[in-house]
Amino acid sequence: MKKILLFSIPFVFLAAFLSLGFLPFLLLPFIILAVNYIVKRKENNPVVQEMKGRLFHSVEEVELEYGKPDSVVVLNAAKANDISDVVLSYPERGILVMAGREIPMDDITSIAPKNMAIIPYVVDEYAVVINTKNPAEPVIYLRVGYDMGY
């Protein structure tokens, strides 16, 4: 959603500037850089990062910290060793590691499958949608590919 929003902002400014002439085109790169700076500053805020949970870069890093997981859910069999495509469960600690982030199990409010295809003429791509109580990351999308049965 953020990427779509950031991608659409320059077009809104472009439409406004077209009615004023070519001089505002010189200001457009500065406006884009300013918006990007504001968004990045908010994302890099230490309080927001702490609310999102600890970030892991590999499955090995998680196993060094917590040991072997009690269960593993593989979201994409082709990328089973990638941290973004597995869910590692540690029920005695009360956490899940999904999409590279540590999520407390108590924060999860619902889990549901969703068809992510935006138009009916493309191949359906599915995701698992996880809603949480965490205001920094209220919805997590875990892509599972093109097989709903899987």
Side-chain angles (χ1 to χ4, degrees):
M1 181 70 179
K2 279 194 272 185
K3 289 181 181 178
I4 294 171
L5 180 64
L6 287 176
F7 186 70
S8 63
I9 289 172
F11 291 108
V12 171
F13 284 122
L14 181 67
F17 290 153
L18 281 177
S19 64
L20 299 174
F22 288 106
L23 180 62
F25 277 117
L26 299 175
L27 296 176
L28 188 60
F30 297 110
I31 293 171
I32 292 171
L33 289 173
V35 169
N36 191 25
Y37 172 74
I38 291 168
V39 170
K40 289 288 185 185
R41 187 179 60 166
K42 183 179 176 185
E43 287 178 358
N44 292 334
N45 186 341
V47 175
V48 172
Q49 291 300 322
E50 184 178 331
M51 288 175 64
K52 283 186 174 182
R54 185 168 173 202
L55 178 64
F56 293 100
H57 300 290
S58 68
V59 175
E60 291 81 19
E61 185 180 344
V62 177
E63 288 180 353
L64 284 173
E65 179 73 25
Y66 298 122
K68 295 284 182 186
D70 290 338
S71 61
V72 177
V73 177
V74 178
L75 302 172
N76 185 347
K79 299 179 185 177
N81 293 331
D82 192 9
I83 190 72
S84 63
D85 292 304
V86 294
V87 176
L88 306 171
S89 172
Y90 295 93
E92 68 253 0
R93 295 181 185 268
I95 62 168
L96 293 172
V97 177
M98 61 181 83
R101 292 243 180 234
E102 178 183 302
I103 309 289
M105 288 183 183
D106 295 338
D107 283 357
I108 297 173
T109 57
S110 68
I111 300 173
K114 182 176 181 180
N115 183 353
M116 300 299 286
I118 53 176
I119 57 175
Y121 305 109
V122 297
V123 178
D124 296 339
E125 183 179 1
Y126 296 96
V128 176
V129 179
I130 300 172
N131 295 312
T132 67
K133 297 178 200 172
N134 190 339
E137 205 164 19
V139 181
I140 301 168
Y141 294 95
L142 302 174
R143 304 267 180 186
V144 295
Y146 301 102
D147 186 12
M148 179 61 174
Y150 179 72

